[in-house]
Amino acid sequence: MRIGLLTEGGYPYATGEARLWCDRLVRGLPQHEFEVYALSRSAEQERARVPLPEHVTRVRTAPLWAPADDGRTHSRRERRRFVDCFEQLVHGICAGAEQPFETGLYGLAGLAREQGGMYAALRSESAVRTLESACRAPGAARTVRAAQVADLLEFVDELEVMLRPLSLDWYGEPDGLGEADICHAAAGGVAALPGLLAKRFFGVPLLVTEYGVQLRAHYLARLDTRGEPETRPAVRALLAAFQLRLATEIYTRADFLTPGNVHARRWQERCGATRERLRTVYPGMEADRFATVGEAADPGDPDTLVWVGRMEPAKDLIALLHAFAEVRRAAPGTRLRIFATATVPGYLADCRSLAAQLFPDEAADSVTAGENPVTFEEIGGPEVPTTAEAYGAGRVVVLSSVIEGFPVTLAEAMLCGRATVSTDVGAVREVIGGTGLVVPPRNPRALAEACLSLLQDPERAQRLGAAGRARALELFTVEQNVAAFQEIYLRLLAKGSARPDGGIPFARPPEARVPGHWTSPTWAPAPDPSPEAVV
């Protein structure tokens, strides 16, 4: 089976949200042929690629970070056609109408297929004037109607980048996406747009996987480190409207969707996905990485709380530090070890400053150097060389987030056999399933009481840790993830294709396409011997 894997800012690069699970999926299905179609976010990202197995036969990359001006200009007739399609698209965005958006999107895609790139057209004065008319038209949202010229120019610039997949040469070329058996988008949003076009024009089945809902991520991405909007209200409203319309189109048209948790599934259902096309598939994790700690007899330091993750405002370490202050009042010998996998600039300094204020350095006597009960550490040092060692440093692992999708660190802590205390956000309850304590977010007192209850009852903490590990081994391993996608691939192929030519599965023999450079495949038809065929 030939799978076109669509990614944005992740696999096959060494950075990105979807890198790990895509790599595990591809390596877990060596019987299939994968082709990766990647939208990259930066030049630095493209320089670092993960090693690819042999059955990844092609990698196509389209940069979203670089200008895409190919010098293409349209004739008067083409410009008129562009304005008509673009008018439909922006009317659907501004008025929240599904049908005009769909008509405009596929109209622009058809124009791009026939005439090439639309960089100049999307940034033209005609595009800005058409957008302005749509913003002022009846039915447009109030925030959109207030858009100024600067807002329109900024939105048009961003829209050109998001619509860049329409102009790519990935589809109708020999052995392009139009010839794939299945398009598998590793995320929603712009990443799934090439698959949406392959389905529209070539009838290729589209599978969309979301472990973090792209629409929700877009809303959050428009906030700065303090949680304040970083774009003007009109631009923010236009971008949100575009993402909502695109998400609705993807969820409505996809043949199958695999949300990574019930939290993501609810978003998809509210945006048009039907239940018969949905199946929750949990992300797969390498359980072997955590087996040494998870199966060890040592349950960790009984007086240590552990936090692991990316240090950013959404993780609410401020509330965790205030909660730990209450823990220290009841149990003075307790320590908190914070292990950062990455940090948002400035946030680590804020947390260090608060820890220094709440917990002055303590010393056992007049000749001993003082120590702070809160430590900020990085994974990879001599004391904690691996992530598993970080989780194993304490008896209780804490998650204090106010925003969370699928809490990967929580599942990793469960694989390590550690009791957990978590805030009730995102898919936390679904992941825990009764094997840990869950408290309301932004409630330091409740967080402190839950931590104390496990620190003061080591037998209960050990029972919860063992139950959590058993649950994680059942639900969150690579094996279950790969088996689920193998079944879904076969299901989509057995369902049949919507290709214009009928698309009978396996009608084309496997030897019809052999990876590599071959001069004349044996299956090719014999040349026409007629005189007219001779040049």
Side-chain angles (χ1 to χ4, degrees):
M1 193 183 306
R2 181 180 170 196
I3 312 297
L5 187 61
L6 313 175
T7 67
E8 180 192 0
Y11 191 75
Y13 310 119
T15 60
E17 296 84 353
R19 174 183 60 88
L20 288 176
W21 82 261
C22 284
D23 190 53
R24 294 164 184 167
L25 172 70
V26 170
R27 294 182 183 279
L29 294 173
Q31 67 271 36
H32 299 308
E33 177 184 332
F34 284 86
E35 296 179 353
V36 181
Y37 295 83
L39 302 173
S40 68
R41 294 176 182 166
S42 66
E44 292 75 18
Q45 185 181 58
E46 291 185 27
R47 296 191 187 105
R49 276 177 39 175
V50 298
L52 299 176
E54 292 183 357
H55 58 284
V56 176
T57 59
R58 172 189 286 188
V59 176
R60 299 289 303 275
T61 299
L64 297 183
W65 49 271
D69 189 359
D70 56 0
R72 169 66 182 166
T73 58
H74 291 162
S75 67
R76 180 178 299 178
R77 181 178 179 181
E78 293 165 356
R79 287 198 299 270
R80 206 162 38 237
R81 181 180 170 189
F82 167 80
V83 170
D84 290 341
C85 296
F86 190 72
E87 184 178 10
Q88 293 282 334
L89 180 78
V90 295
H91 174 66
I93 293 172
C94 297
E98 182 176 340
Q99 185 60 41
F101 179 86
E102 175 188 348
T103 303
L105 180 67
Y106 295 124
L108 291 175
L111 178 62
R113 283 182 63 198
E114 297 172 13
Q115 305 298 334
M118 296 186 296
Y119 179 89
L122 285 167
R123 292 171 177 261
S124 66
E125 182 179 354
S126 298
V128 176
R129 289 186 179 278
T130 303
L131 175 61
E132 183 179 22
S133 298
C135 290
R136 308 289 188 261
R142 184 173 59 182
T143 307
V144 169
R145 287 201 301 268
Q148 303 299 314
V149 174
D151 301 325
L152 301 176
L153 292 172
E154 182 178 347
F155 175 68
V156 165
D157 286 347
E158 296 226 23
L159 186 63
E160 184 275 322
V161 173
M162 293 184 290
L163 292 181
R164 202 167 287 180
L166 303 185
S167 304
L168 298 176
D169 58 350
W170 289 355
Y171 309 103
E173 63 170 8
D175 296 329
L177 266 178
E179 294 295 324
D181 294 311
I182 293 172
C183 281
H184 186 176
V190 177
L193 190 50
L196 201 60
L197 301 183
K199 177 177 174 60
R200 174 78 176 193
F201 296 115
F202 302 97
V204 181
L206 174 60
L207 168 65
V208 179
T209 298
E210 281 192 311
Y211 289 118
V213 181
Q214 288 299 105
L215 179 60
R216 173 180 175 272
H218 168 79
Y219 293 152
L220 298 176
R222 293 292 157 185
L223 303 177
D224 61 18
T225 57
R226 299 186 301 268
E228 298 294 332
E230 63 176 13
T231 54
R232 296 161 61 96
V235 178
R236 194 164 65 252
L238 286 167
L239 289 171
F242 171 80
Q243 293 289 346
L244 176 59
R245 292 267 58 86
L246 180 60
T248 301
E249 182 67 16
I250 291 169
Y251 298 154
T252 302
R253 303 298 175 189
D255 294 88
F256 209 75
L257 298 111
T258 54
N261 51 75
V262 174
H263 177 68
R265 181 173 182 146
R266 292 195 193 103
W267 277 78
Q268 294 176 347
E269 287 181 344
R270 293 196 65 176
C271 291
T274 55
R275 293 194 173 185
E276 62 270 14
R277 294 183 293 113
L278 285 166
R279 175 180 171 182
T280 301
V281 178
Y282 296 117
M285 301 181 190
E286 296 174 324
D288 294 344
R289 292 175 52 210
F290 307 100
T292 303
V293 174
E295 297 174 2
D298 180 17
D301 188 341
D303 298 320
T304 298
L305 298 174
V306 171
W307 183 94
V308 180
R310 173 182 170 83
M311 293 193 65
E312 58 184 354
K315 304 302 182 182
D316 202 9
L317 290 174
I318 302 300
L320 175 60
L321 292 172
H322 283 288
F324 184 63
E326 296 195 25
V327 171
R328 287 279 295 179
R329 281 192 283 271
T334 309
R335 295 181 61 202
L336 172 62
R337 299 183 69 177
I338 295 175
F339 297 94
T341 57
T343 60
V344 170
Y347 193 66
L348 174 59
D350 293 341
C351 293
R352 286 184 182 275
S353 176
L354 179 60
Q357 296 174 27
L358 292 175
F359 313 102
D361 291 349
E362 301 173 354
D365 50 52
S366 58
V367 296
T368 305
E371 294 184 357
N372 195 296
V374 179
T375 58
F376 296 87
E377 307 172 55
E378 291 185 1
I379 298 173
E383 294 186 6
V384 185
T386 65
T387 305
E389 293 288 339
Y391 291 114
R395 177 162 295 178
V396 178
V397 176
V398 187
L399 184 143
S400 55
S401 303
V402 294
I403 298 172
E404 197 72 59
F406 184 91
V408 173
T409 57
L410 199 56
E412 291 177 345
M414 293 165 65
L415 286 171
C416 290
R418 292 301 182 259
T420 59
V421 175
S422 313
T423 49
D424 188 8
V425 293
V428 164
R429 281 188 181 272
E430 183 181 358
V431 171
I432 289 296
T435 65
L437 303 186
V438 181
V439 301
R442 294 191 178 94
N443 192 329
R445 179 173 298 178
L447 193 63
E449 290 175 355
C451 292
L452 281 170
S453 68
L454 294 181
L455 290 171
Q456 295 171 354
D457 190 348
E459 292 184 359
R460 183 188 182 193
Q462 190 169 2
R463 288 196 306 271
L464 288 175
R469 176 167 168 77
R471 178 176 174 81
L473 288 173
E474 179 183 0
L475 298 177
F476 308 130
T477 61
V478 175
E479 291 75 15
Q480 67 82 24
N481 183 271
V482 169
F485 281 112
Q486 167 70 352
E487 179 185 344
I488 292 169
Y489 287 164
L490 294 176
R491 173 179 174 177
L492 288 175
L493 194 63
K495 179 182 176 183
S497 173
R499 298 179 189 275
D501 58 359
I504 302 173
F506 306 113
R508 191 181 187 190
E511 64 271 18
R513 183 179 181 280
V514 180
H517 299 285
W518 298 81
T519 56
S520 179
T522 58
W523 56 267
D528 188 351
S530 61
E532 293 81 359
V534 180
V535 178

